[in-house]
Amino acid sequence: MKALSLALIACPECSSEDITGTPQPDSRLLIHCADCGHEWLRGEARRDPARPHVRSVDTLQGEFPSAADVRPDVRERITALEAEYIAQKPDADPDVEGFASRYRELFQKENLSSASPEALLHFATSTTLANPGNTSGFTRAWKTAGDDKAADGVRASIDHLLYGPESLRVEDRLTQLVEGKKGLGFPSFKEPMLTKVLAVVEPERFLPLLRYSAAADGKKEIAKDVFGLDLPPVDKSSFTAGRVAVWSNDLLRSLVGLESPQEAAAFLRWAKVRPTG
């Protein structure tokens, strides 16, 4: 660094004004007296902006509401509602088991590459198992790309979700696909359809509730209306789309005693509109 001549500053040791200053990386000056060799620092060090505290995924998951946060009176009410629901013996959709079994097999790693465009399109748009909602955006993207290219995109999305890097949790792979990070994901093959893939492949874990937030059957809304729990909104850095989708699923699954995930999801939709009084 080039030394700077300084005026009106005297050496505190010998009072000489023959001094120079050398800028330092932290914005202070290193002052040198040519007469006696004394050196000292002048000015205030520049403070780097504090780096934001980055919480680990485990820490964030620990901050997410849990079953322990449900009030005892709410638990009692849910137990009574489950008994009432079971007593009604609602009929199960007879097509669900075959649909889920077919696609569970098709989405196996060794079979996915040969999944036909017709089968993939049917999976994405079918209301069997769970209704993905309005699929017009997806069908437009499919038609624009053409059957072969669209099928390639959907296969790639499913492959990344189920078999992507082991260093990434499934919830973070889901986030990448929902947000389209790194060019991943097929247009409009997003949260509802990706969650439906998880519900097919891991039926013991994933409920066929396809959206984190939706008025009728969003997991966030169900958690609030049925269990009195306030789940966090989606954000881009901590409670990301994939994390809240998976963590809310695990929370609701832990709060319902019904074994069948299809029955548990149906119960939650039913309980959501039951009067609380």
Side-chain angles (χ1 to χ4, degrees):
M1 295 182 183
K2 184 178 180 181
L4 303 175
S5 296
L6 301 174
L8 304 179
I9 299 178
C11 175
E13 295 292 326
C14 68
S15 300
S16 171
E17 295 182 356
D18 186 8
I19 59 177
T20 56
T22 304
Q24 301 299 296
D26 62 2
S27 79
R28 292 184 294 179
L29 288 175
L30 177 63
I31 311 299
H32 175 79
C33 176
D35 285 345
C36 71
H38 181 61
E39 291 184 335
W40 72 97
L41 289 168
R42 181 179 176 85
E44 293 187 4
R46 181 183 60 246
R47 295 182 179 180
D48 293 331
R51 299 179 66 180
H53 176 61
V54 179
R55 291 170 290 176
S56 70
V57 178
D58 288 334
T59 298
L60 286 167
Q61 191 168 7
E63 295 173 1
F64 198 80
S66 70
D69 297 317
V70 179
R71 300 193 318 269
D73 61 304
V74 173
R75 287 182 174 275
E76 291 179 5
R77 176 175 178 268
I78 297 305
T79 299
L81 284 177
E82 285 187 4
E84 181 182 347
Y85 182 79
I86 293 171
Q88 296 180 5
K89 297 182 179 179
D91 294 330
D93 184 344
D95 296 329
V96 166
E97 185 175 350
F99 179 91
S101 178
R102 174 192 178 191
Y103 282 101
R104 189 176 304 119
E105 180 69 20
L106 192 64
F107 293 159
Q108 294 299 308
K109 181 70 171 177
E110 63 273 17
N111 299 331
L112 182 58
S113 62
S114 60
S116 71
E118 294 78 14
L120 296 172
L121 180 59
H122 176 67
F123 175 83
T125 57
S126 173
T127 59
T128 303
L129 182 74
N131 190 341
N134 188 339
T135 60
S136 59
F138 172 78
T139 54
R140 282 196 302 271
W142 184 282
K143 290 178 181 178
T144 298
D147 287 349
D148 291 340
K149 187 174 180 180
D152 285 342
V154 171
R155 289 190 205 98
S157 293
I158 296 172
D159 183 76
H160 184 75
L161 177 66
L162 300 180
Y163 311 111
E166 292 184 0
S167 58
L168 287 178
R169 299 180 181 219
V170 65
E171 50 262 51
D172 292 333
R173 299 198 300 268
L174 177 57
T175 296
Q176 290 181 329
L177 292 165
V178 170
E179 296 181 353
K181 291 183 176 179
K182 299 180 180 180
L184 294 168
F186 182 76
S188 297
F189 193 80
K190 299 299 183 181
E191 182 190 1
M193 298 167 191
L194 293 165
T195 304
K196 192 174 181 179
V197 171
L198 295 174
V200 161
V201 174
E202 294 189 58
E204 297 306 313
R205 178 180 182 185
F206 288 99
L207 298 165
L209 295 171
L210 305 187
R211 294 171 184 77
Y212 178 60
S213 182
D217 59 356
K219 287 172 282 192
K220 187 176 188 295
E221 288 74 15
I222 288 173
K224 176 64 175 178
D225 294 344
V226 179
F227 300 101
L229 298 175
D230 290 311
L231 304 190
V234 177
D235 66 55
K236 294 285 188 178
S237 59
S238 53
F239 292 113
T240 58
R243 290 173 184 173
V244 296
V246 172
W247 297 347
S248 61
N249 169 86
D250 293 347
L251 171 63
L252 294 178
R253 192 74 180 98
S254 72
L255 289 170
V256 179
L258 303 174
E259 291 186 7
S260 163
Q262 189 74 17
E263 192 174 33
F267 164 74
L268 289 169
R269 295 189 190 97
W270 175 83
K272 183 179 183 298
V273 297
R274 299 292 293 175
T276 57

